[in-house]
Amino acid sequence: MAKDIREDISWAQINSDVLKSLESPRPMYWVIIAIALAMFSLFVGGEIYQYRNGMWVSGQNNPHVWGLYIATFIFWIGMSHSGTLLSAILHLMHADWRKPIYRFAEAMTTFSLMTAGLFVMVHLGRLWQFYYSVPYPNERGLWPNFQSPLLWDAMAIFTYLSSSVIFLFIGMIPDLAICRDHLHPGWRKKLYTVLALGWEGTDRQWRNFRVTYLTVACYLIPLAVSVHSIVASDFAMSQQPGWHVTSFPPYFVAGALYSGCAAIITLFIILRYVFRFEEYMTLPILKKTARLTFAIAMVWTYLNAIEFASVWYSHDQASKDVLIQKATGPYAFAWWGMIICGSVVPLALAFKKVQTNIPMLFSVSLLLNMGMWLERWMIVSPTFSHGYYPWTWDHDQFPSFLQWGMVFGSFGWFTLLFMIFCKVFPSISMYEVKEMVYHRSLASKMGGKGGH
Amino acid sequence: MTQRHLLAVFNNFDEAEAVIKELRETPIKGFNFDDLTMKSPIEHHDVEEVLGSRSANVQWFTLVGSILGGLLGFFLISGAQANFYHQIKGGKPLVPLPPNFVLTYEMFILGGVFISVLGFLVCAGLPAKRSPLYSAKVQVDQIAILVKGDDSAIAALKAVFTKHQALEIQEEAGK
């Protein structure tokens, strides 16, 4: 059995280990930052090129009005859901193993949403008018359609982003006070002093903190479900073949949790190495995350099968044709890639040896996310090339290099934000790890098995 | 009579709990138990039970925020839709309730979350200036008890702290 967090680890040691991560990560950190910067500059370059030349350079045209931008937007929205899963759902279930890893998952939620938001703007083309997409009163003659899922989407994402940032910040206040009290004077100390809001850990503060954290967690869960259900409604509420499926909302939510969990495994392994968190991001936690991912992968696979089955038995010929075209047409390589990466590869997670084998898990997590990205692409594009109108049938389209470049670059943007966050703010919740070891040590003293 | 603050730092929750119990049970003239504040690096439910029922009222802010958020959302959308009368609606209602539910729901949550945070700040007394009696070790692994009492009570309070092996006692003239 791999080693879990020691129950006898001192609280001072926890502080010192986590605070050290803010100052001296392994050199690999800077390599990752450099790669992320290079990738992000590709994104910026692509956007400048598209801005100067117009949207046509992206290759999006009729009927392919949505391309990789929207597929990747859905991917990043989905990625954000794992933070809520780990933070809020497991918090309500008193799963104490989440404590060392939920902070970075919450950060992942925030930065994924910010990345998703970028794609909305890039796709709109006219960046300066992005605010037209939010529910806007009609005094300026905009006449927004309040019954459109696209408008709901903008509002849901804004709500989710702002609530996630608040959730992340509130949960971090006690740790910011630790940083304030133990780091050397400088810009960081000033920043932590402001952000800690004068936290001293009084019983009054803790009591209200607990209620607030729990309340916001309770609100975040239905919010997360609503966000991806609404994203699903962008498709399901249309009449397009392949999209008009009632199981889309739960399918999207399951897919979101799935890709998010896979991303947590990837980032877990990276942070564990880069910030020397071997003591806290332990193999038993990784094992539990892998098992959770496996369970969600099976739910996603089931919902996928249900979608195919309902299309097949509905006798809606147009939808059936889209499904056949996905499996046998020009997109077949991506569709089968989705099936293999999303439903076959996760079977490896059922094996105990894989659950704690770091290189293997790292590779599996990347493949799972590749599968989930392909899933989003396979939702968007094939329907456009095989719609109700025959004139769309000869419009198979392979995305332009610009679209691919922007997708690639968005990973740089996300990684850059995420890694900077982990260097500036504690990516492990110190007070929650202290609570965890304290309760475990109490439980062992009383002869229990430890934990909740 | 002048009041003073005392801060005693302890090694663990057991010692702090024993002190709180003793201060609760022993009447000390010039000291009100409600003026006792515990500072700790983590939340501790058992010690909070010893402290007695001290309320957290954030949930009321949440309730009010959610209701206001929901109402604001619904009436903003409906208000905008009500101006659509000169558009052709094909016999459909000007203010359709089912689709409006989605944005109302989002605003319900947004209001609830925002006002909860406001409630947290109000109820927890944040942001605040750091108290002059403060030990940074509370953010590491020690438990502190802050009390306020008249001059006449200070000696008795100190005696209780010393009896329970306080690691450090800080004193300041109160207001």
Side-chain angles (χ1 to χ4, degrees), chain A residues 138 181 200 203-204 210 219, chain B residues 39 43 66 123 131 134:
Chain A
N138 50 15
D181 290 349
E200 291 187 17
D203 54 284
R204 178 186 173 196
R210 181 185 65 224
Y219 272 65
Chain B
K39 298 181 183 186
E43 194 188 9
S66 302
C123 295
S131 153
Y134 181 74

Side-chain angles (χ1 to χ4, degrees), chain B residues 4-101:
Chain B
R4 288 198 218 170
H5 285 96
L6 275 184
L7 181 93
V9 181
F10 297 90
N11 210 14
N12 56 47
F13 279 113
D14 293 338
E15 288 167 6
E17 197 174 334
V19 171
I20 295 170
K21 266 187 187 162
E22 185 163 344
L23 290 176
R24 192 185 178 93
E25 286 160 8
T26 318
I28 298 175
K29 204 181 165 194
F31 166 69
N32 181 356
F33 183 75
D34 290 337
D35 290 334
L36 182 146
T37 302
M38 186 183 77
K39 298 181 183 186
S40 57
I42 63 169
E43 194 188 9
H44 195 288
H45 299 282
D46 295 343
V47 180
E48 284 189 3
E49 276 173 26
V50 182
L51 280 170
S53 58
R54 293 180 173 185
S55 58
N57 294 317
V58 178
Q59 61 272 35
W60 295 109
F61 283 84
T62 310
L63 180 67
V64 171
S66 302
I67 293 171
L68 286 181
L71 288 174
L72 181 73
F74 180 76
F75 285 111
L76 270 180
I77 303 160
S78 308
Q81 285 168 331
N83 289 325
F84 285 2
Y85 60 88
H86 57 284
Q87 288 188 326
I88 298 164
K89 297 287 285 187
K92 291 184 178 174
L94 274 179
V95 179
L97 296 182
N100 283 8
F101 170 76

